[in-house]
Amino acid sequence: MHLMNSSSLFEQLGGADAVEAAVDRFYRKVLTDDRVSRFFDGVDMDRQRAKQKAFLTMAFGGPHNYTGKDMRDGHAHLLKMGLDDSHVDAIIELLGSTLREMGAGEDLIGQVAAIAESTRNDVLGR
Amino acid sequence: MAAIRYGDRLYELRESESVLDALLRAGVPARHSCKAGSCGSCMMRAVDGAVPAKAQTGLKDSWKARGYFLACVCHPDSDLEVAAAEDDAEVPATITSLDRLADDVLRVRLRCGAPFEFRAGQYVTLVRDCQLARSYSIASLPEEGEIELHVRRIPNGRMSGWLSTEAGAGTPVSLLGPSGECFYVPGREDQPMILVGTGTGLAPLYGIVRDALRNGHRGPIQLFHGAVRRDGLYLHDHLTRLAAAHANLEYTASVLEAPDAGDAVSGPIDQLILRRFPNLDGWRGFLCGDPALVGSLRKKLFLAGIASRDIYADAFLPSAT
């Protein structure tokens, strides 16, 4: 269990309801963004959405049990498809635009981006 | 404090303890993962008692209607009887009639020998001679007294071949289930709905449409049936009449092979739908039949604006044996 000290961030963003409201919006962006959509092709949508929801919960500072190893294992097959820093940049950008559309302030968006940023090396297997 | 009945035992909840934690504390090997109401691993079903709304946050309406909840965030105020999510019933049944709806589609009607609760659009597993099992969607409503299935005749199919040539009125079988979340949930009766089925993927949709109408659904209902050839539109006349009798129901038939279309529209059904309905924000969608089409259409409808929790999809996978 990865304990976050930023539960107040989660509350400020609106908690589980905010995650629920964000996940479809974020997932649509991911599926239609030419930079990253190919990594999500041919994947079971229910499972994919559950993963997106878990990811957003974590990035929003909410309760989760992601470990660095999960991040590594979960993305290893994507590295073979060419996953690199530019794709992590794109995901963090899409996360920010999702939150902006939902009316979150730049300060909170920055905090979410920082949490997402902290997974970069695990995601990229470094 | 509230208590949980699970199996044949009672589990007392401690202060601020979740259903999951109470079961785990008592040594029940309940499946779970995130313990934060996110991953869905710990989903259970309430058989009796009131489930707090918080324990159903984010679940589809059809799951909520069947009492599913997330045990890790469930803190009930009163006693609750729960079951594992996958517990199925098996009941004896008798075939009451078999008739041909098209060259390769059979309508099978069955009567159950024991109470069997289901919703139109769910699926059952039909079991022959206690061993051969195949799943089919339910086209009938519970109050109609019989269960109606549409069975496509598969070349050398062991169940469909047997139903076509050997089974008859009076033949005993058994039914497992029901399963599936593809059904109409009353409420939001002004919400527009789109239902798309290919082949016998029409069966559950036929049940769902009639269930919606019977429940007084007022929003527009767009029913699409796709077939490769014109003779695959096996309820064409019946659905044309049904649509004529209900102002909010529109039926569109689509045939892939153009020279054969007759009074149906020709061409790929997904393109037809997206041309007519480029914006589906706020709709409820049901997709049944061919797995490739269900998969791609699901994504397209989601991108056209349907919330993922409002999309009910049932891909008909071919049997492996």
Side-chain angles (χ1 to χ4, degrees), chain B residues 98-120:
Chain B
L98 284 162
D99 48 307
R100 207 167 282 277
L101 294 172
D103 254 5
D104 61 349
V105 180
L106 267 183
R107 174 165 54 205
V108 181
R109 288 197 167 118
L110 304 137
R111 188 171 291 279
C112 293
F116 190 72
E117 279 185 38
F118 67 89
R119 313 278 189 122

Side-chain angles (χ1 to χ4, degrees), chain A residues 13 22 25 29 60 92-110 112-113:
Chain A
L13 285 167
R25 204 179 272 269
K29 287 184 188 295
F60 283 21
I92 292 175
E93 178 198 313
L94 296 176
L95 189 55
S97 58
T98 300
L99 284 164
R100 214 162 279 126
E101 285 172 17
M102 291 171 60
E106 293 303 320
D107 168 45
L108 296 183
I109 293 173
V112 169

Side-chain angles (χ1 to χ4, degrees), chain A residues 1 17 20 24 27-28 31-32 40-42 45-46 49-50 53-54 57 63-65, chain B residues 33-39 57-58 60 295 298-299 302-309:
Chain A
M1 187 83 177
D17 291 342
E20 192 58 42
D24 273 4
Y27 192 11
R28 279 194 194 101
L31 284 173
T32 49
F40 299 88
D41 268 350
M45 277 187 73
D46 279 331
R49 186 180 186 279
K53 190 172 165 184
T57 304
H64 72 95
N65 61 356
Chain B
S33 176
C34 78
K35 289 186 135 187
S38 174
C39 73
T57 303
K60 288 190 175 184
R298 181 178 190 178
K299 190 160 148 184
F302 174 64
L303 292 176
I306 300 194
S308 51
R309 53 178 292 186

Side-chain angles (χ1 to χ4, degrees), chain B residues 71-263:
Chain B
C72 72
V73 288
C74 183
H75 301 273
D77 298 321
S78 52
D79 292 358
L80 204 57
E81 182 175 349
V82 304
E86 61 276 2
D87 285 353
D88 259 356
E90 174 165 4
V91 299
T94 307
I95 294 176
T96 54
S97 70
L98 284 162
D99 48 307
R100 207 167 282 277
L101 294 172
D103 254 5
D104 61 349
V105 180
L106 267 183
R107 174 165 54 205
V108 181
R109 288 197 167 118
L110 304 137
R111 188 171 291 279
C112 293
F116 190 72
E117 279 185 38
F118 67 89
R119 313 278 189 122
Q122 286 192 287
Y123 60 90
V124 290
T125 301
L126 180 66
V127 184
R128 163 196 156 198
D129 302 331
C130 300
Q131 42 179 347
L132 184 67
R134 293 287 183 270
S135 296
Y136 301 103
S137 292
I138 305 174
S140 51
L141 308 181
E143 56 272 25
E144 290 170 338
E146 291 187 321
I147 291 184
E148 174 177 329
L149 312 174
H150 300 167
V151 177
R152 185 164 71 91
R153 174 89 190 254
I154 311 247
N156 303 314
R158 288 161 66 202
M159 181 67 87
S160 62
W162 175 77
L163 287 167
S164 316
T165 57
E166 292 178 52
T171 302
V173 290
S174 58
L175 293 177
L176 280 173
S179 314
E181 314 305 329
C182 205
F183 58 82
Y184 179 76
V185 178
R188 296 195 287 167
E189 48 280 291
D190 290 317
Q191 185 179 30
M193 303 207 304
I194 183 165
L195 305 95
V196 186
T198 57
T200 50
L202 179 62
L205 304 184
Y206 177 57
I208 291 165
V209 163
R210 290 183 309 131
D211 199 17
L213 292 171
R214 210 188 56 80
N215 274 286
H217 194 87
R218 294 187 298 263
I221 302 174
Q222 292 287 343
L223 172 63
F224 288 81
H225 187 205
V228 178
R229 289 184 311 275
R230 174 66 182 80
D231 60 4
L233 300 171
Y234 61 86
L235 286 183
H236 190 70
D237 296 342
H238 180 74
L239 290 173
T240 302
R241 283 195 301 274
L242 189 68
H246 294 89
N248 62 333
L249 173 62
E250 187 176 352
Y251 161 65
T252 306
S254 136
V255 165
L256 200 54
E257 292 179 1
D260 190 40
D263 53 349

